Amino acid sequence: MTSNTYTLQILAGDGIGSEIMGEAKKIIGWINSNSDITINTRDGLIGGASIDTYGNPLDDTTLEQCRNADAILLGAVGGTKWGDIEYNLRPEAGLLKLRKELELFANLRPALVFDALIDASTLKPEIVRGLDILIVRELTGGVYFGEPRGIEDLGNGQRRGINTQVYTTMEIERVARVAFDLARKRGNKVTSCEKANVMESGLLWREDVTALHEKEFKDVELEHMYADNCAMQLLRNPSQFDVIVTDNLFGDILSDAAAMLTGSLGMLPSASLGQVGSVALYEPVHGSAPDIAGLGKANPLATILSLAMCLRYSLDQGVMADKIEQAVKAVLNSGTRTADIMADNCRQVSTSDMGDAIIAELDK
Ligand code: IPM
Ligand code: MG
């Protein structure tokens, strides 16, 4: 085995997961045949697919395989079929368990506007042209995992729903460090978002980010912003942002808003990283889209771009990552589109045709 040989754990998941993953596998096949990189793939189940087979959304054997892989590529989880199950056994719980068990605390969600897709945005072209934002979302803490949680019976016909927002200095510092490091390689600016005006955990967030900045990252521009203002500013003037760092819940919401600026959720990849050198997870930002599953309509580009992120961040194969991203740009420029990004004078293609178009471009 050469150092260019890797094991990639594949978790296609539910809904459109298997279709989009099929296209990512075509690209992996191309890489294996046309470069000195060898990516051995291994398939596993997560989400509803795992519930149907193992009775739980992430089985221990699958988790162990994930731990031992060089990286993980995931499709999507969830579907109405599993909607009535209790929280800790739902498809989404498999994904949350994977994030938590592997300590994937930094979720990178780039929102990038491709020139060819500028008209797909619901915002005016002059507002979104050239947009390139990176949201760094804390992924293993906050209200998603805080205790106590639950629904209590108050006995008088009333109930109480409880979740806890909690952050420690260690959790805040490690995700902020990722954001500052990445900013240095980009626009050198970090906007840190919380609600320090109403939440103690937000105040701690602000103080810890400020202290870390003072200590290690004075060369990076730091700005603090309340999360609600950030949502507003994303729509008003998104170009003011470079890197946004925020907690788990605000990051969930702000990253959906940022994604929509680009016009297509079907285009956006993400990376979930843990400590340097540990296994990382790559997945499209979009969900399992059960309404179009099996119809050949899904856009595989977010998954293919997630594979590119995987090559760059986990496998240290930046040149191949660039090549794939360039191929995606070229295919979009040529007017080849899946239904979600279809526009006038373009050619609408299926999921599988889109994968083939990327391969044809890579072959050039
Ligand atoms: C996301 C999703 C997940 C989340 C769901 C599927 C649990 O919305 O990755 O943004 O809330 O984190
Ligand atoms: Mg979300």
Side-chain angles (χ1 to χ4, degrees):
M1 288 229 294
T2 71
S3 59
N4 281 344
T5 301
Y6 310 97
T7 302
L8 182 65
Q9 179 67 42
I10 303 241
L11 302 171
D14 309 318
I16 57 172
S18 54
E19 293 164 73
I20 53 179
M21 200 56 83
E23 301 316 303
K25 283 183 177 172
K26 280 185 193 167
I27 311 298
I28 292 169
W30 186 91
I31 294 171
N32 288 344
S33 314
N34 293 279
S35 73
D36 61 355
I37 305 169
T38 302
I39 301 175
N40 296 312
T41 60
R42 194 161 68 191
D43 286 287
L45 300 175
I46 193 167
S50 174
I51 294 175
D52 289 349
T53 302
Y54 299 115
N56 66 66
L58 179 65
D59 197 64
D60 285 342
T61 50
T62 311
L63 181 59
E64 218 31 54
Q65 290 194 324
C66 289
R67 277 190 212 285
N68 298 328
D70 290 303
I72 308 160
L73 188 64
L74 186 140
V77 296
T80 45
K81 181 176 170 196
W82 308 279
D84 292 334
I85 311 177
E86 62 180 292
Y87 277 117
N88 58 357
L89 290 176
R90 281 192 200 177
E92 289 79 1
L95 182 55
L96 295 181
K97 182 174 170 191
L98 190 61
R99 292 172 177 171
K100 188 75 179 170
E101 288 286 330
L102 299 179
E103 264 199 89
L104 304 172
F105 61 83
N107 182 212
L108 280 43
R109 299 190 163 186
L112 192 99
V113 172
F114 290 87
D115 281 339
L117 295 184
I118 205 147
D119 291 320
S121 176
T122 48
L123 269 72
K124 296 192 187 101
E126 63 267 28
I127 303 282
V128 294
R129 179 166 292 118
L131 192 73
D132 181 0
I133 300 176
L134 177 65
I135 298 200
V136 179
R137 168 189 175 191
E138 200 291 326
L139 202 61
T140 52
V143 76
Y144 272 61
F145 298 96
E147 297 283 346
R149 63 183 296 161
I151 299 180
E152 282 177 2
D153 200 338
L154 298 178
N156 52 358
Q158 295 286 309
R159 296 189 297 163
R160 178 162 54 201
I162 305 154
N163 292 93
T164 303
Q165 166 81 335
V166 50
Y167 273 107
T168 63
T169 297
M170 178 277 287
E171 290 176 301
I172 296 166
E173 281 185 348
R174 67 181 181 180
V175 73
R177 187 169 279 120
V178 170
F180 284 126
D181 274 334
L182 287 166
R184 276 183 177 154
K185 297 178 196 146
R186 301 171 37 102
N188 213 37
K189 178 178 172 189
V190 170
T191 306
S192 172
C193 295
E194 26 57 15
K195 286 281 288 177
N197 50 346
V198 286
M199 296 163 76
E200 282 78 3
S201 60
L203 183 59
L204 183 74
W205 184 285
R206 186 172 286 222
E207 290 176 357
D208 285 347
V209 171
T210 303
L212 180 69
H213 177 250
E214 279 292 304
K215 231 176 6 194
E216 294 176 31
F217 296 99
K218 276 197 124 155
D219 55 305
V220 182
E221 186 188 341
L222 169 66
E223 142 190 272
H224 300 280
M225 195 179 274
Y226 297 139
D228 54 342
N229 185 28
C230 180
M232 189 272 274
Q233 296 295 340
L234 275 171
L235 298 179
R236 194 184 73 85
N237 174 21
S239 305
Q240 70 184 284
F241 296 108
D242 176 28
V243 175
I244 296 174
V245 64
T246 190
D247 76 19
N248 205 343
L249 183 60
F250 293 141
D252 182 42
I253 297 165
L254 293 174
S255 64
D256 266 25
M260 200 53 218
L261 298 175
T262 72
S264 172
L265 215 48
M267 292 298 305
L268 297 175
S270 80
S272 302
L273 312 177
Q275 296 299 348
V276 176
S278 61
V279 66
L281 167 71
Y282 300 84
E283 58 177 316
V285 168
H286 63 70
S288 59
D291 52 320
I292 57 162
L295 301 179
K297 284 187 181 172
N299 184 347
L301 293 179
T303 311
I304 291 171
L305 291 169
S306 298
L307 175 64
M309 281 187 102
C310 171
L311 285 157
R312 176 169 297 118
Y313 291 114
S314 280
L315 311 185
D316 208 16
Q317 298 287 351
V319 174
M320 184 56 77
D322 287 344
K323 203 171 159 65
I324 292 170
E325 288 166 357
Q326 288 310 320
V328 169
K329 272 191 201 140
V331 166
L332 292 173
N333 286 337
S334 76
T336 303
R337 302 289 156 84
T338 43
D340 58 313
I341 50 174
M342 186 55 192
D344 292 346
N345 303 318
C346 289
R347 186 171 68 96
Q348 189 170 326
V349 300
S350 68
T351 307
S352 152
D353 290 344
M354 182 56 100
D356 293 343
I358 303 292
I359 297 284
E361 187 60 40
L362 289 170
D363 273 333
K364 278 184 190 165

